[in-house]
Amino acid sequence: MSHFTLKVPDSLLDRVRRLAEQDHTSLNQFIVAAIAEKVSALETARFLAERGQKADWSAYSHALASAADHPARADDELPPHD
């Protein structure tokens, strides 16, 4: 485990303290979880962008065109919208 000194504006730190308290976690745990969430989001976006570049758009278009002739299954329809 490493230590890292971080300069945080007072107003932001006050908000983070309140949120950590509401979440019943320590300030340290809350900040570590926030960093982990951000890292995960960035890595997921990178992964999806890389996968998107490998897409076979002609195969996608073919599959989509062939699916147009088939109605949705009864258990695959969207629920009614209020």
Side-chain angles (χ1 to χ4, degrees):
M1 185 78 55
S2 298
H3 290 93
F4 182 77
T5 302
L6 183 65
K7 293 183 181 182
V8 180
D10 292 337
S11 59
L12 180 58
L13 187 55
D14 289 341
R15 291 169 58 194
V16 172
R17 280 190 176 118
R18 281 196 307 271
L19 289 169
E21 186 176 314
Q22 290 171 5
D23 200 38
H24 305 290
T25 61
S26 69
L27 182 60
N28 186 74
Q29 288 172 313
F30 191 86
I31 292 172
V32 168
I35 292 169
E37 287 179 25
K38 181 65 176 187
V39 168
S40 178
L42 292 172
E43 288 179 343
T44 299
R46 181 190 49 79
F47 172 79
L48 292 174
E50 288 174 3
R51 287 292 303 247
Q53 290 175 350
K54 297 176 185 177
D56 182 346
W57 292 105
S58 65
Y60 169 75
S61 295
H62 178 72
L64 195 59
S66 66
D69 297 334
H70 303 285
R73 297 184 333 215
D75 63 341
D76 198 27
E77 294 177 352
L78 293 173
H81 188 338
D82 293 334

